[in-house]
Amino acid sequence: MRDVAVVGYAQRQTAQFDGSPTMVEVLVPIFQELYASTGFAKSDIGFWCSGSSDYLAGRSFSFVQSVDAIGALPPVNESHVEMDAAWALYEAWLKIQTGEVDTALVYGFGKASAGTLRRTMSLQLDPLTMTPLWPDTVSIAGLQARLGIDAGLWTERDMAEVAQRSLTDAESNEHAVRKGGSSVEELLARPLYADPLRKHDCSPVTDGAAAIVLAAGDVARRATERPAWITGLTHRIDPLHLGARDLTEAPSVRAAAAGVDLAGVQVAELHAPFSHQELILRRELGLADDVRINPSGGALVSNPLFTGGLNRIGEAARRIWDGSADRALGHATSGPALQQNLLCVMDGSN
Amino acid sequence: MGKQAAAVIGVGQTHHRAKRDDVSIAGLCREAIDRALADAGVTFDDIDAIVVGKAPDLFEGVMMPELYLAEALGAVGKPLIRVHTAGSVGGSTAIVAASLVQSGVHKRVLTVAFEKQSESNAMWALSVPVPFVMPVHAGAGGYFAPHVRSYIRRAGAPNHIGAIVAAKDRQNALRNPYAHLHNADTTVESVLASQMLWDPIRYDETCPSSDGACAMVIADADTAASVDSPAWIHGTVMRSEPTTASERDQVNPRAGREAAAYLWKQAGITNPLEEIDAAEIYVPFSWFEPMWMENLGFAAEGEGWKLTESGATAIDGKLPVNSSGGVLSSNPIGASGMLRFAEAALQVRGRAGDHQVDGVRRALGHAYGGGSQFFAMWVVGAERPA
Amino acid sequence: MFHFWAMTTSQSRTLSSPVRVSFDYTRSTGPVLGRYLEGLREGIVLAGRTSDGRVITPPLEFDPGTHAATTDLVRVAESGTVTSWTWCPEPVEGQPLDRPFAWALVTLDGATAPMLHALDVASPSEVHTGQRVRIRWAAERQGLVTDVACFEPVDALADGTWPQPADAVPARDAVAADGPGEPTPVAITPVALDYTYAASPEESSFFRGLAEGRIVGQRCPACNKVYVPPRGACPVDGVPTHDEVELAQTGIVTTFCVVNVPFLGQQIKPPYVSAYILLDGADIALQHLILDIPADEIRMGMRVEAVWKPREEWGTTIENISHFRPTGEPDADYDTYKHHL
């Protein structure tokens, strides 16, 4: 395999973006920021790949106009996945692995506030047997959380500890939509919302866009002093049927973890839109107790759909760049109740 | 490490129809997948990863349907990717699937593209009005008709060229048992007599709205070498440009021209008209055949219609184009591009049945999407590339 | 099928408008779920038996082990046990109940896996894991999953007798190898979502100009081309267009089509002429209607001018311009606009 690294990352997040659902206005400054930080020009980018959703935007082909942000004449080598942009990163990584290109710019965007997220996401379910009931994301997470509580796998206090750490860490993250820790006791004293979930157990509705630059070998070394070399990248999917799998587990995380080397991971950015889902992820990944989880605050403090996973990879890469970790893990999830999962292990040396 | 050799070892497609009310979306996909697996002589257990493609989610009213379909597609416990690049998606999906093998990451990849258009209405889904903007949009036909008019003016093409293409592709479809339209009496005259829908595009010059799916198994060199007549991938390309830009050429888009040039170079082709034996080109409206002949470099600018008029693109012509009947005869939008890629593979494998062109060594699969702005193409060949 | 109203709020950076995306999808159900939904219409619940002996409802269309189409459908009871639940304090449109309720995973007697549905209880204190519940059927059943109105606690009933899981129910035949098979039931499932569509700041300035009777483009600072409407990113240079340029209200038709086809959701009654109009001073054409001339007399290169609606009908929309009509000037020479095709 070729040595490929994350060499650039830029993002914008906000509770409610007042511009167009194509988010061109946000992507333009993100791309400019990446050109400046990597030293690459537009013409140095060998492949472009994005992740977004038509249903989030409320119209067909919502990604098409976003191509304008590239300035795509002369034409570009470009693709799009209807997934979190973490999977666009996977496609871009493959493209570099084929040897066809040496660099890629991966971006994602989503204006979740354009619609009613609790209804929109019901469209991810089985259209005949589930969507007509409009089960919402929060409720499905609530069912999952209770299963673990009833089975003695975690407690409401464990969940509050996740929220407390996330809210506290978010104080140093300028992009976090929600921040401000208090104490586990204070969080537990707050009212239940979707029993057994409290509002701080659920990620806030977030609009955002983010982009990552990948580069191979010496090209990566020219772009940044300490590239975050991708030493493991894999993903798996579980079935959707909520009854046919044990929701307290995430076999796809376990299977993906078997395909990468997690030994020595110092920092893990886990894409857990609900507090108990971080507990599931930690268990499935078998991370040691001293692994620093979500120093950015994670998805509990801002979770822009279709970039939330890419953000985890970007945040983990930053820990490599700044030398605070030699090995970091970025994780992305997609689908209801942690259905689909991607792991990206990055190292300070290759 | 460079690009690894890869080949198509299995192809499957559904019987495309206006409404496949005998199957669910999952069943539709499985009809194509099961045929592709059987053709390749493999089972789900042999598959390392799945790549799914389809056009806008509004068509079926399911957000990322590959999630609920994961079990039916045999993807559980495996990597699954969902591609969406507008009308070119079927081609892009095949290219992404190929890259899983060409990168050396996987050995056997299943790819499937589908559309179950009868669940909604494509004209509706494509014409959701944007507030504040003039609601003149009228589906894909309304979008492309002005550009067809521009082509006719620019090339000085006679009015009946589009009808020649439509009659040819509908006649070709009679040889393809999977095709949606089987209209035996379509002639140039009958096409010219059909209703003008989006002037200058007539009813018979438009593609149908179909339910359908297409699947392929793409494998590494070792696997491919052990099967009968694999279709080796000689080159793949994707190129994109904006929908609208000042002075953007919408008739002969630069992205298509540059994609073709890059593709021919990869495949070692210097004269495509002489060296390509069969082409499956995305022609949803008849006039796009001569337009793409020029864009792809089979003809000089302004000369594409002459190839069509001369009969060169007929099934017994110099360069048979869409001997399967093409998009004009079957159009499950998300699958239409993959059908082009798959039909090209069938041609080089000698497995195209009654619409097989004699002696095909190298074939082109082509798809485009958006406002003639996203292009995906591949060349497949009977021989392993050097 | 679409409804939007322009809202003019001068203080906001961008213009926004509600949009409802709504369609009643007609879903082919296939042999497995078709039979399942028919069962619901009949008032029975069917489950699929998997190759490893699990009994799952709604049935899986394909077996997770063998990947073969599910054929073994068995009837399960309409009573069962709550295996998990959550409280839904703020129901959204379309959910089974319009008052706060519980979502529950319920394993029906005879099944080995739970199904998801609403449980009608007044407060979280009235639901618990292990609780016995039964199906409350909808008053009118139509072969949809909503034929099960919701679950209700079992103690709402007296005798405690429930239909027992019993008879195997044959699935319909799988698809024939040589062509499509028999039709399966169609389920109509409406999907209606409300969005707020916002224009970009650049577009918003264009629409606000229209509210003043002006057509305002912007110039790309890199290539100097004048875009109308202005763009959040010049599609060539990837930077926002900036300096405002007020454009003439005359231009030429570069190309066009005559729309003769009616379709669902159409806003303008066909036939109509949809044209690309290159306004004098602009570097990109705008799409609009051509009227006041028979459709078959419209030509590429024809000079046209904007016809505005009465001022009292204006909003922040390009629909302030009713249409374009011929000016009567000589047609533009093809060479002057051919690079805009």
Side-chain angles (χ1 to χ4, degrees), chain C residues 82 265 284:
Chain C
V82 172
I284 191 162

Side-chain angles (χ1 to χ4, degrees), chain A residues 18 55 114 143 146 150 193, chain C residues 13-14 84-85 90 129 195:
Chain A
D18 67 352
Y55 261 115
L143 293 164
R146 185 175 312 281
D150 285 350
Y193 176 68
Chain C
R13 187 179 74 116
T14 55
S84 184
W85 64 276
E90 296 170 318
T129 302
Y195 293 91

Side-chain angles (χ1 to χ4, degrees), chain B residues 83-363:
Chain B
V83 180
H84 175 19
T85 63
S88 63
V89 65
S92 310
T93 303
I95 290 173
V96 173
S99 74
L100 281 165
V101 176
Q102 292 170 323
S103 62
V105 173
H106 292 297
K107 294 191 184 307
R108 283 170 301 273
V109 175
L110 171 67
T111 184
V112 60
F114 71 95
E115 211 70 68
K116 200 152 187 324
Q117 286 190 234
S118 69
E119 309 259 314
S120 74
N121 176 308
M123 282 284 283
W124 165 79
L126 294 177
S127 306
V128 175
V130 180
F132 317 119
V133 171
M134 202 59 200
V136 292
H137 289 288
Y143 184 87
F144 291 116
H147 306 308
V148 167
R149 181 183 303 280
S150 298
Y151 172 74
I152 294 170
R153 171 67 179 83
R154 191 189 285 187
N159 276 328
H160 66 287
I161 298 298
I164 293 176
V165 176
K168 167 185 70 89
D169 285 2
R170 299 283 158 58
Q171 290 299 318
N172 286 346
L174 300 175
R175 302 163 179 257
N176 179 358
Y178 295 109
H180 172 179
L181 297 183
H182 284 131
N183 298 340
D185 41 7
T186 305
T187 62
V188 173
E189 293 70 32
S190 73
V191 175
L192 287 172
S194 67
Q195 193 200 346
M196 195 61 98
L197 287 189
W198 297 279
D199 192 335
I201 297 178
R202 293 177 177 80
Y203 178 78
D204 278 353
E205 294 178 295
T206 67
C207 53
S209 175
S210 314
D211 287 353
C214 179
M216 290 190 284
V217 178
I218 298 177
D220 68 327
D222 286 348
T223 307
S226 69
V227 305
D228 182 35
S229 64
W232 294 95
I233 298 168
H234 288 217
T236 65
V237 67
M238 292 164 72
R239 286 289 182 276
S240 309
E241 67 183 40
T243 318
T244 61
S246 176
E247 300 181 15
R248 178 189 162 228
D249 191 337
Q250 308 219 56
V251 174
N252 190 6
R254 185 170 169 185
R257 278 181 277 139
E258 293 188 0
Y262 182 80
L263 182 70
W264 302 140
K265 189 165 174 240
Q266 265 185 86
I269 287 171
T270 52
N271 184 339
L273 186 61
E274 296 298 329
E275 296 170 70
I276 292 291
D277 303 315
E280 284 280 340
I281 295 172
Y282 203 101
V283 178
F285 301 98
S286 60
W287 280 97
F288 275 88
E289 177 180 296
M291 289 164 73
W292 294 147
M293 287 293 102
E294 298 172 24
N295 194 242
L296 287 163
F298 289 115
E301 186 151 9
E303 308 282 316
W305 62 269
K306 294 176 186 169
L307 268 186
T308 296
E309 190 180 44
S310 74
T313 60
I315 194 163
D316 56 355
K318 181 174 182 59
L319 175 68
V321 173
N322 296 332
S323 66
S324 66
V327 181
L328 282 175
S329 304
S330 315
N331 185 35
I333 295 181
S336 291
M338 188 173 288
L339 284 165
R340 308 281 69 73
F341 279 50
E343 288 286 352
L346 287 174
Q347 287 291 341
V348 298
R349 300 175 72 201
R351 295 191 185 191
D354 290 345
H355 62 280
Q356 178 69 46
V357 173
D358 283 343
V360 176
R361 307 303 295 166
R362 277 188 293 194

